[in-house]
Amino acid sequence: MIKKFPALSSSPYIQYFDSFKRSGIVKDFSPYIKGIEKNVFFQKLINLLPCVMTVADYQTQQYLYANETPCEELTGYPAKEFVQKGILFWVSQIHPDDALEYANHSFPKMLASLHKYTDEEVKQCKFASTYRFKRKDNVWVQFLQNSIILEMDETRNPLLLLIFVSDITLYKKDDAVIFTISRYDKPSGIMNMITETLNGCKKTSEREKEIIRYIASGTKTKEIAKKMHLSIYTIRAHKRNIFEKTDTKNIAGLTSYAFSNGII
């Protein structure tokens, strides 16, 4: 699954997953899933949620559960496909720049934070991150992922997570990755402990945004060059760079990207 992103294979995120393969020790978390499967009414409620809900086992890199209806509505993929193919299949649909930001920066900070708080405090922590996700129909959307740690090992490494993913495309118009750690405190309410905006992803320049708007409106290369007082060859070079930066392959994909990131 990570062949799409060679740089991801050496990240702390993937190295963490690989550490479980070397240990050969896997805890059984099936009681969590059996509890959900036995309660038909609870399953119906979960499928009414306006977000994807998954139970992720970091030991095996698998989703033990994913709610069916919201999963297909938000991603275009059936829940069983994520359950069968695992966590890295989901990661493979995340924009490469955003996946690297999370894997190299946000995830290590989450691991480090677990050693700062007591077990009870960790249970009250919420780890949130935004990223761009490519739906099955090749449309880019903005997701907000909230994670809660259900189980840790004796060295305080997360093993089992409850994850909620919401579509925030209508509310987020830039491509920055935002990572936060917050904790609920009874006297004070929700306390924000870490907020980071990660801007390591490739940014489109103002000139490139102008060209994107022309492309999205159906303007031909020759006309764009005339309007911008540039040569056709310069516009073609800009277009190549734009498709590479936005990880899109055609005008439809670029238009979707432009809409999701507030360019048009």
Side-chain angles (χ1 to χ4, degrees):
M1 295 300 174
I2 59 172
K3 289 179 180 178
K4 288 174 64 177
F5 319 125
L8 199 62
S9 60
S10 59
S11 69
Y13 184 67
I14 298 301
Q15 290 175 7
Y16 180 77
F17 282 156
D18 288 344
S19 68
F20 291 111
K21 293 179 183 178
R22 293 190 292 270
S23 72
I25 301 171
V26 179
K27 289 188 177 182
D28 180 21
F29 294 130
S30 59
Y32 279 92
I33 309 308
K34 288 176 181 176
I36 295 173
E37 291 174 343
K38 284 181 180 178
N39 194 325
V40 178
F41 179 70
F42 184 59
Q43 286 189 65
K44 288 182 179 179
L45 288 179
I46 290 174
N47 275 313
L48 291 174
L49 289 173
C51 60
V52 176
M53 189 200 90
T54 63
V55 179
D57 186 344
Y58 273 15
Q59 304 169 111
T60 60
Q61 303 171 33
Q62 296 294 317
Y63 290 113
L64 303 182
Y65 180 85
N67 54 350
E68 295 177 8
T69 305
C71 192
E72 190 152 6
E73 287 178 350
L74 268 66
T75 71
Y77 293 94
K80 65 180 180 181
E81 189 163 358
F82 289 115
V83 172
Q84 290 168 356
K85 295 182 178 179
I87 293 171
L88 293 182
F89 177 64
W90 182 286
V91 173
S92 71
Q93 311 309 316
I94 297 175
H95 192 286
D97 294 333
D98 298 357
L100 284 173
E101 289 288 5
Y102 181 80
N104 287 317
H105 301 288
S106 303
F107 185 73
K109 286 186 180 297
M110 183 186 80
L111 293 182
S113 72
L114 300 180
H115 296 277
K116 297 178 182 178
Y117 311 124
T118 65
D119 288 355
E120 193 58 36
E121 287 174 333
V122 168
K123 290 177 183 178
Q124 296 168 344
C125 283
K126 183 176 66 175
F127 304 89
S129 184
T130 63
Y131 52 79
R132 290 164 288 175
F133 185 95
K134 184 182 283 187
R135 288 171 41 91
K136 192 173 184 178
D137 58 7
N138 291 321
V139 172
W140 284 102
V141 291
Q142 292 272 5
F143 276 175
L144 167 64
Q145 176 173 308
N146 285 291
S147 303
I148 300 167
I149 296 174
L150 299 176
E151 296 280 353
M152 295 187 294
D153 64 14
E154 61 279 359
T155 57
R156 305 185 71 76
N157 290 316
L159 303 178
L160 191 71
L161 281 76
L162 178 63
I163 298 173
F164 297 92
V165 179
S166 304
D167 187 338
I168 57 168
T169 306
L170 292 176
Y171 311 103
K172 190 170 186 295
K173 298 301 181 183
D174 59 54
D175 56 2
V177 174
I178 300 172
F179 174 70
T180 65
I181 300 177
S182 57
R183 179 171 65 85
Y184 177 73
D185 179 70
K186 279 189 177 181
S188 310
I190 295 177
M191 298 172 59
N192 190 49
M193 293 178 286
I194 292 177
T195 297
E196 286 192 343
T197 300
L198 307 173
N199 294 313
C201 51
K202 298 174 185 175
K203 299 289 184 180
T204 50
S205 66
E206 289 305 314
R207 173 164 284 184
E208 287 170 334
K209 287 177 182 176
E210 185 179 356
I211 294 172
I212 289 172
R213 293 186 190 102
Y214 280 128
I215 294 171
S217 66
T219 308
K220 302 298 181 184
T221 301
K222 187 175 181 180
E223 294 175 32
I224 297 173
K226 187 176 180 181
K227 287 176 181 289
M228 297 185 70
H229 306 289
L230 297 170
S231 73
I232 291 176
Y233 305 104
T234 300
I235 297 299
R236 285 175 180 168
H238 276 304
K239 288 174 75 173
R240 284 195 298 272
N241 290 333
I242 287 168
F243 281 116
E244 181 184 347
K245 280 187 177 183
T246 59
D247 191 36
T248 56
K249 296 180 174 60
N250 51 46
I251 293 174
L254 181 62
T255 303
S256 172
Y257 173 92
F259 177 77
S260 297
N261 289 278
I263 297 174
I264 57 174

